[in-house]
Amino acid sequence: MAGNLPPVIAIDGPSASGKGTVAERVARDLGFHYLDSGALYRLVAWAALDAGINLENESGVSDIALNLNVIFNDGIWLNQKEVGAALREEAIGNAASRVAALPRVRQALLARQRAFRQPPGLVADGRDMGSVVFPDARLKIYLTATPEARADRRYKQLMDKGMGASMNALLQDIRDRDARDSARAVAPLQKCSDAMYLDTTALTIDEVVAQVLAQYKLALQVP
Ligand code: DC
């Protein structure tokens, strides 16, 4: 089905599983493009809040998704404004998880995500990269870790940035987000049957990157 289309490595998994860091490193090592699909949902949430649109207003939010004026180039530029750091805030992550449950928003972002598939290849991370957006991906990875390990990583990241955080609140947040992302009717977070399950709880980033690269080499040998 992939024909002559550039190869895709799809990395899906729950929030704070480290998939963004891993996907970016794998893309760099292979010289591939990188799609952070969560950033698109975060952008939609940010732009909807900025425009005063209720996050339950499906047609209003999907209009925003269709018309996003965004450039990924040394940061994330929305209407000529750099919004990368603002998008990483927990409140925007939660808002993103809410707009991501709206079918028309997901539909509106589909073509935009597929447009990232350019030579020589793409590493895409998210929740439905392997199941919906790139079902013909050459390699599909389901990256996860226990909620405690993920909350701990997020806590350290926030501390490193000098931002305050409560471990209990982060853990609760991760559990709520997992539940919402897994229970939604459209494109729920799930491991595809053809994805490789990788639990990173006891692994370093370097070890995870090495495993993904090794799996990709193996996948290339399959005709
Ligand atoms: O990966 P992330 O934490 O930046 O994603 C933010 C939210 O966007 C997440 O809670 C679920 C949603 N999302 C999604 O539904 N599908 C994707 N492919 C990526 C993210």
Side-chain angles (χ1 to χ4, degrees), residues 13 16 19 42 46 72 87 93 95-96 115 122 124 140 155 158 160 167 187 197-198 209 220:
K19 59 191 186 318
R42 287 172 186 264
W46 192 92
F72 292 87
L87 294 185
L122 173 69
K140 300 181 185 179
Y155 182 82
L158 292 171
D160 284 349
M167 187 65 189
Y197 185 88
L198 194 52
V209 170
L220 287 180

Side-chain angles (χ1 to χ4, degrees), residues 131-207:
S131 56
V132 175
V133 184
F134 303 109
D136 60 344
R138 184 63 76 94
L139 175 66
K140 300 181 185 179
I141 304 275
Y142 186 82
L143 206 70
T144 190
T146 61
E148 290 77 13
R150 290 185 278 132
D152 190 53
R153 288 176 192 166
R154 176 94 359 125
Y155 182 82
K156 286 180 182 142
Q157 271 174 0
L158 292 171
M159 288 296 143
D160 284 349
K161 286 186 199 151
M163 290 158 87
S166 138
M167 187 65 189
N168 282 343
L170 285 175
L171 188 56
Q172 191 54 48
D173 212 59
I174 278 177
R175 291 206 163 110
D176 291 349
R177 189 108 61 94
D178 282 359
R180 196 172 325 121
D181 292 345
S182 309
R184 68 173 176 237
V186 226
L189 169 67
Q190 59 179 3
K191 181 193 159 309
C192 306
S193 57
D194 53 351
M196 183 199 149
Y197 185 88
L198 194 52
D199 186 330
T200 70
T201 304
L203 299 177
T204 64
I205 294 285
D206 284 348
E207 289 168 331

Side-chain angles (χ1 to χ4, degrees), residues 12-16 19-20 36-42 87-88 92-101 106 113 125-129 133 154 177-178 180-181 184 186-187 189:
D12 290 304
S15 66
K19 59 191 186 318
D36 169 5
S37 64
L40 291 175
Y41 289 94
R42 287 172 186 264
L87 294 185
R88 299 314 312 164
I92 297 298
N94 278 319
S97 167
R98 288 170 61 195
V99 301
R106 303 199 73 84
Q113 294 174 87
D125 88 60
R127 305 296 187 288
D128 60 343
M129 297 298 97
V133 184
R154 176 94 359 125
R177 189 108 61 94
D178 282 359
R180 196 172 325 121
D181 292 345
R184 68 173 176 237
V186 226
L189 169 67

Side-chain angles (χ1 to χ4, degrees), residues 2 17 69 77 101-102 111 138 149 169 171 203 217:
S17 56
N69 174 16
W77 301 82
L102 304 172
R138 184 63 76 94
L171 188 56
L203 299 177
K217 262 194 196 148

